[in-house]
Amino acid sequence: MDIAKANGIELAWESFGHTNGEVVLLIAGLGTQMIRWTAPFCAHLVALGYRVVRFDNRDAGYSTHLDAYPAVNFGALAAALGAGERPEVPYTLYDMAADAIGLMDALGIAQAHIVGRSMGGMIAQIMASEHASRVLSLTSIMSSTGNPALPQSAPDAMAMMVQPMPDPSSDRAGFLSRSSAFARRIAGSGYPFDEEAHRALASEELSRAYDPAGTGRQIAAVGVTGDRRARLSAVTVPTLVIHGNDDPLFLPDCGRDTAASIPEAELLLINGMGHDLPASVWHQIAGKIDSVARRAVHA
């Protein structure tokens, strides 16, 4: 792992594969770290000839945590958004997209194939709409456009996501148990849930960083960024949208809406997949990323 200065902060990053390969930049989701893009998944892309770069978003992992900001008041945030106001927040997803561009600058990467999951998919979409010359292809996984008319998350899954977690410093076992229960709920019904693998990954994330306030700032960034469909209509790079038809957080209509908002986007709905990337689909997803990347036009 290395640290790069980008967009006024520090970003932790890691690279796999040959440095002369075309770059696939992987963007993590809300409150998670780059290791959610597991080394075995990255290896599938490396085997296809790519250099794979993963990184911790701001307020996650070993990247800069913006601790100087006060904790987000979610009640006030929700009230302001419900009233059609745009509250002041530490940053937006546009800033996080600028972070990724800054990382590319720091690493001397002129263009890359951008792949994001969940919140990372939103950041990837913004990169394609606002930094088009830097993006070769776009893959948006289990994400959404910010369209307010889309169906809401399953109430029980949302309740599990927002309820306070046990403090891992005093109740690590309780934290991991609750984390596993939530991961199982959102994983979908079509693939076996690997609790042992999830617990190992969650434990590794805890050893790297634990910052619920940082996750709150990321939630605020998602909330204020709003509907991006108008900007997405101008995206011209080859685009792939991947979504599970059993996703309880971003329902399948969110994937359909993303694909419909981007000209000529390809939609891949995976039966039984939830808000998760089970190991048994890694080969398929890597192959589809490769397929859309091969349609890219280089500047």
Side-chain angles (χ1 to χ4, degrees):
M1 187 201 73
D2 291 289
I3 300 291
K5 294 186 182 298
N7 196 29
I9 61 173
E10 292 186 340
L11 295 177
W13 64 279
E14 200 166 25
S15 180
F16 301 84
H18 298 293
T19 57
N20 61 350
E22 290 186 6
V23 174
V24 174
L25 182 69
L26 301 175
I27 309 177
L30 174 69
T32 66
Q33 303 176 29
M34 64 178 171
I35 58 175
R36 292 289 177 116
W37 296 108
T38 65
F41 174 81
C42 294
H44 281 284
L45 291 167
V46 170
L48 293 168
Y50 296 99
R51 177 190 179 191
V52 178
V53 176
R54 63 182 186 178
F55 69 100
D56 288 328
N57 287 313
R58 59 170 66 192
D59 271 328
Y62 288 128
S63 291
T64 295
H65 291 245
L66 284 79
D67 300 322
Y69 289 95
V72 174
N73 182 327
F74 290 109
L77 176 69
L81 293 173
E85 301 171 359
R86 188 185 184 283
E88 288 294 323
V89 295
Y91 53 85
T92 72
L93 295 184
Y94 288 88
D95 297 306
M96 298 181 79
D99 292 347
I101 294 296
L103 177 62
M104 291 172 60
D105 290 340
L107 302 186
I109 299 170
Q111 295 180 300
H113 304 283
I114 310 300
V115 180
R117 58 195 290 173
S118 195
M119 180 190 72
M122 301 176 193
I123 295 169
Q125 293 168 21
I126 291 171
M127 292 176 71
S129 67
E130 308 305 310
H131 306 276
S133 66
R134 308 299 299 275
V135 176
L136 290 170
S137 69
L138 165 65
T139 300
S140 175
I141 304 174
M142 54 187 178
S143 193
S144 191
T145 63
N147 177 357
L150 287 168
Q152 299 298 303
S153 303
D156 68 311
M158 181 56 67
M160 292 179 72
M161 186 175 79
V162 301
Q163 65 184 345
M165 293 285 284
D167 183 348
S169 65
S170 58
D171 187 8
R172 188 181 184 91
F175 178 92
L176 291 175
S177 179
R178 284 270 299 279
S179 175
S180 293
F182 176 63
R184 182 185 295 275
R185 170 63 185 93
I186 66 174
S189 60
Y191 299 89
F193 176 67
D194 190 338
E195 182 165 355
E196 182 178 354
H198 173 78
R199 282 177 174 264
L201 188 58
S203 292
E204 186 178 356
E205 285 190 325
L206 282 177
S207 70
R208 300 177 87 246
Y210 176 63
D211 186 5
T215 300
R217 290 186 288 271
Q218 291 184 353
I219 292 171
V222 173
V224 302
T225 299
D227 189 345
R228 299 178 307 283
R229 286 175 296 165
R231 295 295 301 166
L232 290 175
S233 68
V235 171
T236 59
V237 297
T239 297
L240 170 66
V241 177
I242 300 174
H243 215 96
N245 68 0
D246 206 12
D247 190 333
L249 289 183
F250 289 135
L251 273 61
D253 279 352
C254 297
R256 295 186 184 99
D257 187 60
T258 303
S261 299
I262 300 174
E264 299 183 23
E266 176 186 356
L267 175 63
L268 172 63
L269 285 174
I270 299 180
N271 290 332
M273 189 176 89
H275 202 75
D276 186 30
L277 292 182
S280 51
V281 303
W282 291 349
H283 178 77
Q284 177 188 11
I285 288 176
K288 294 297 291 187
I289 292 171
D290 177 52
S291 178
V292 73
R294 289 179 182 276
R295 304 205 315 264
V297 176
H298 298 71

